[in-house]
């Protein structure tokens, strides 16, 4: 595709959906792009507008909400309010799934983490928005259970990264494409066509401050990547931003792996399956990478609850396979 391709044009030309779903694809991704543009502006202006700091409430998984978490959730919901093809939204910041459209055209469900990495809001570090789109098997009254589909059922997934620039990355199962927001003209422009994740990488990304609580296999993996062995490129370098979206973006472009394992206090770790891990796992696999719970393919896990957590290792395929071997050996 030619240089200067906007997201809108790219969606019109998206081959895999052109036959039967081009209109749907545009209807689904335009609100994501709109929310991304508005959130990029809100994040830029937050300190000036008094929008940093805590909102005062807890969300459904017990995190203290930042003001920008609440604002981010409202922005995503507003952006999708006019989108008749989405029946409902499950969000990190909503206790229960919310009905968005009762139209017979409402054939999709949106899963979202509106603001990933929100502990970064007050220190000018990267943030993200994660989205995943599932198909709805029926019409009529929406039930929260309809969201409980394994990640391999996602028809579209991606993220917006608010970093040194704002980047939207998406997949519909035919490659992964990245668009950088030209803030001067308000358009996402194709800058990263067909992102391919290197098969291996020498960067690891984890909150190693918690390593004493990790299971033995994960601790041994950490020993392995921090051991010195020049021929195999060790020690690996540690890069950890506090925002999964930013850490995964680096892994996709440069190779490496992010992991957040369980510990005795939280056997399934911290990250949520439906709206954080599964959409990013879908992107990783589509880019030639991998995502695992440590004990199997993450996209095969059937959620039992909207806010369910899962351990995760995600990034370069060889790194993830090695991590699984360390976990299996213990
Ligand atoms: P969120 O802000 O949506 O709750 O997600 C934060 C996640 C993830 O983005 C990040 O990698 C991880 O939590 C950080 O957790 P620790 O502070 O435990 O490292
Ligand atoms: Mn998150
Ligand atoms: Mn969040």
């Amino acid at each position: 595709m030619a240089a200067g391709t906007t997201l809108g044009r790219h969606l019109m030309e998206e081959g895999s959906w052109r036959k039967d779903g081009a209109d749907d694809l545009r209807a689904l991704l335009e609100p994501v792009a709109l929310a991304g543009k508005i959130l990029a502006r809100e994040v830029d202006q937050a300190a000036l507008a008094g929008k940093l700091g805590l909102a005062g409430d807890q969300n459904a998984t017990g995190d203290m909400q930042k003001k920008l978490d609440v604002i981010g959730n409202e922005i995503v919901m507003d952006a999708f309010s006019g989108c008749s093809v989405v029946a409902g939204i499950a969000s990190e910041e909503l206790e229960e799934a919310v009905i968005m459209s009762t139209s017979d055209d409402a054939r999709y469900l949106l899963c979202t983490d509106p603001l990933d990495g929100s502990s970064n809001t007050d220190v000018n570090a990267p943030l993200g928005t994660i989205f995943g789109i599932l198909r709805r098997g029926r019409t009529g009254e929406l039930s929260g259970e309809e969201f409980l589909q394994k990640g391999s059922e996602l028809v579209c997934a991606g993220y917006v990264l608010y970093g040194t620039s704002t980047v939207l990355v998406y997949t519909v199962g035919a490659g992964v494409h990245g668009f950088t927001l030209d803030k001067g003209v308000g358009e996402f422009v194709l800058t990263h066509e067909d992102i391919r994740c290197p098969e291996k990488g020498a960067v690891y990304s984890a909150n190693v401050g918690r390593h004493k609580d990790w299971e033995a296999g994960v601790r041994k993996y950490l020993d392995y990547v921090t051991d010195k062995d020049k021929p195999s490129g060790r020690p690996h370098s540690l890069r950890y931003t506090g925002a999964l979206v930013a850490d995964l973006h680096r892994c996709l472009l440069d190779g490496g792996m992010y992991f957040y394992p369980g510990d005795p206090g939280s056997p399934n770790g911290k990250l949520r399956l439906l709206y954080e891990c599964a959409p990013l796992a879908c992107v990783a696999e589509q880019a030639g990478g991998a995502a695992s719970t440590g004990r199997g393919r993450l996209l095969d896990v059937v959620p039992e609850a909207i806010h369910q957590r899962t351990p995760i290792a995600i990034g370069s395929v060889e790194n993830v396979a090695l991590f699984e071997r360390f976990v299996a050996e213990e």
Side-chain angles (χ1 to χ4, degrees):
M1 214 171 281
T5 302
T6 61
L7 176 63
R9 183 168 146 214
H10 181 90
L11 295 177
M12 275 194 299
E13 294 174 4
E14 171 56 65
S16 61
W17 279 55
R18 206 179 307 155
K19 259 198 243 124
D20 53 0
D23 291 343
D24 286 1
L25 182 59
R26 275 205 304 280
L28 291 166
L29 278 176
E30 275 168 6
V32 171
L34 177 62
K37 289 176 198 173
I38 296 174
L39 247 164
R41 187 193 65 203
E42 289 294 310
V43 165
D44 275 353
Q45 298 287 314
L48 299 167
K51 293 178 181 170
L52 298 181
L54 293 171
D57 289 324
Q58 280 190 353
N59 69 13
T61 45
D63 297 340
M64 288 306 294
Q65 285 178 314
K66 292 289 188 67
K67 285 182 194 155
L68 280 171
D69 281 319
V70 177
I71 292 167
N73 191 59
E74 280 166 6
I75 288 170
V76 173
M77 290 192 69
D78 285 352
F80 273 91
S81 61
C83 171
S84 60
V85 299
V86 166
I89 298 186
S91 161
E92 179 181 324
E93 307 306 336
L94 297 169
E95 196 81 36
E96 314 261 346
V98 163
I99 296 172
M100 295 301 289
S101 167
T102 51
S103 153
D104 282 351
D105 292 338
R107 296 181 290 276
Y108 301 95
L109 304 170
L110 170 70
C111 308
T112 183
D113 174 358
L115 198 66
D116 176 57
S118 57
S119 69
N120 285 351
T121 55
D122 300 2
V123 295
N124 205 9
L127 297 160
T129 297
I130 305 172
F131 63 93
I133 308 276
L134 292 162
R135 233 184 262 282
R136 232 197 134 190
R138 60 184 179 87
T139 53
E141 200 179 329
L142 178 71
S143 131
E145 311 245 307
E146 292 178 57
F147 285 86
L148 304 181
Q149 304 180 37
K150 56 187 175 184
S152 57
E153 301 291 336
L154 286 162
V155 293
C156 174
Y159 57 83
V160 183
L161 166 60
Y162 313 99
T164 44
S165 60
T166 296
V167 176
L168 186 154
V169 171
Y170 88 96
T171 182
V172 286
V176 175
H177 308 294
F179 301 78
T180 302
L181 180 59
D182 183 334
K183 290 183 181 167
V185 295
E187 290 275 11
F188 281 104
V189 179
L190 183 63
T191 47
H192 296 74
E193 188 169 16
D194 196 17
I195 294 171
R196 301 303 299 163
C197 179
E199 284 180 7
K200 61 182 176 188
V203 170
Y204 68 105
S205 212
N207 183 348
V208 289
R210 306 179 72 93
H211 78 280
K212 289 188 178 164
D213 283 339
W214 294 347
E215 61 183 289
V218 180
R219 277 187 278 125
K220 285 195 176 155
Y221 179 79
L222 181 65
D223 288 342
Y224 173 84
V225 294
T226 52
D227 275 347
K228 272 193 192 158
D229 180 54
K230 231 177 173 183
S232 62
R234 289 177 288 149
H236 290 182
S237 294
L238 168 64
R239 298 284 184 272
Y240 190 66
T241 65
L244 166 61
V245 166
D247 288 321
L248 175 66
H249 191 67
R250 186 196 315 97
C251 292
L252 292 181
L253 297 183
D254 288 350
M257 190 184 79
Y258 172 105
F259 59 102
Y260 206 115
D263 58 48
S266 183
N268 287 322
K270 175 179 183 187
L271 301 177
R272 278 87 12 155
L273 173 60
L274 195 65
Y275 46 76
E276 287 179 313
C277 298
L280 297 182
C282 181
V283 172
E285 283 200 5
Q286 279 302 317
S292 169
T293 63
R295 294 182 160 78
R297 184 182 180 225
L298 194 139
L299 290 178
D300 288 337
V301 181
V302 183
E304 288 169 6
I306 281 178
H307 297 290
Q308 178 175 329
R309 298 177 197 270
T310 178
I312 185 170
I314 183 166
S316 292
V317 69
E318 287 187 19
N319 299 49
V320 173
L322 185 63
F323 181 88
E324 284 185 328
R325 282 206 293 282
F326 272 91
V327 170
E329 272 167 21
E330 283 303 314

